[in-house]
Amino acid sequence: ASNCGVLWGFSMVSFFCFGYPLSIFFIIINEFCERFSYYGMRAVLVLYFKYFLQWDDNLSTAIYHTFVALCYLTPILGALIADSWLGKFKTIVSLSIVYTIGQAVMSVSSINDLTDHNRDGSPDNVSVHIALSMTGLILIALGTGGIKPCVSAFGGDQFEDDQEKQRTRFFSIFYLSINAGSLLSTIITPILRGKATHLFIK
């Protein structure tokens, strides 16, 4: 017997796998990747400020904590957008796109050759990199904070009323994926940065 099936309802089709709505597997994987991306970037952010943008310790620390604070303020905005305008699903999709653009802009801002026209190994116009990185961080803060109040609630909405046990287990696995993504990225990203720096120097 197959562990996956389809439940037909009134003008609605629900896909189930191992007794769980198929959609929740994508939600859990997406949340793991989102946390890995966020905490991985954050793990090396101060180093980027100090050694690439050439900021001092005080400015690097101030901008870092301002970014983190903004990430914890934007969930209020995300909740307002979801409850009074777009709904949970469209809010998650829309702000995830904003989040992805922010990470892309942040990555571009760290490309040394973007303004290193004389090829001396350092950017010629640091202000371009600062503008790109600040834009990227603002977009990331909007994205990561904006989806925060929506994802877990949207996951809970996928279950039927008689699936209380599955819903409870989902939330356990969901928060496990959050912590796993955060832990692994905090460990792996600095290691990868160290190896990349070593190869670059060689």
Side-chain angles (χ1 to χ4, degrees):
S2 174
N3 288 312
C4 299
V6 180
L7 177 66
W8 296 84
F10 295 105
S11 68
M12 181 176 145
V13 181
S14 298
F15 293 89
F16 287 84
C17 192
F18 299 103
Y20 294 86
L22 187 61
S23 55
I24 65 112
F25 294 98
F26 294 100
I27 293 171
I28 289 172
I29 292 170
N30 181 75
E31 189 65 19
F32 173 86
C33 294
E34 187 274 325
R35 291 288 85 187
F36 190 99
S37 171
Y38 172 75
Y39 278 98
M41 182 274 297
R42 217 178 82 170
V44 296
L45 186 58
V46 173
L47 297 177
Y48 168 75
F49 290 156
K50 288 182 63 177
Y51 298 111
F52 190 86
L53 300 182
Q54 300 297 314
W55 288 351
D56 60 28
D57 289 347
N58 290 334
L59 182 57
S60 298
T61 303
I63 297 299
Y64 172 82
H65 287 291
T66 300
F67 166 68
V68 173
L70 189 60
C71 290
Y72 285 101
L73 284 173
T74 50
I76 299 173
L77 178 62
L80 290 173
I81 293 173
D83 289 343
S84 60
W85 185 25
L86 293 178
K88 289 190 285 288
F89 177 73
K90 289 183 179 179
T91 300
I92 293 169
V93 172
S94 301
L95 292 180
S96 291
I97 293 171
V98 171
Y99 190 173
T100 304
I101 293 172
Q103 288 284 21
V105 171
M106 192 67 193
S107 298
V108 170
S109 75
S110 66
I111 299 175
N112 190 64
D113 292 341
L114 190 65
T115 61
D116 185 17
H117 303 299
N118 58 9
R119 297 294 185 264
D120 64 351
S122 60
D124 298 333
N125 192 350
V126 179
S127 60
V128 172
H129 296 273
I130 293 174
L132 286 172
S133 60
M134 293 303 100
T135 302
L137 289 176
I138 290 171
L139 293 176
I140 290 168
L142 287 172
T144 190
I147 67 174
K148 196 179 294 293
C150 304
V151 177
S152 59
F154 181 71
D157 290 345
Q158 306 306 302
F159 294 89
E160 304 293 336
D161 293 338
D162 60 347
Q163 292 185 300
E164 185 62 36
K165 181 179 179 181
Q166 289 91 334
R167 183 186 291 111
T168 302
R169 190 170 295 169
F170 158 73
F171 282 114
S172 298
I173 298 172
F174 178 78
Y175 289 110
L176 174 64
S177 71
I178 291 176
N179 292 316
S182 306
L183 175 64
L184 290 175
S185 66
T186 303
I187 296 171
I188 294 172
T189 306
I191 294 173
L192 293 177
R193 179 192 175 275
K195 289 185 177 180
T197 304
H198 179 69
L199 290 173
F200 180 76
I201 293 174
K202 290 177 68 176

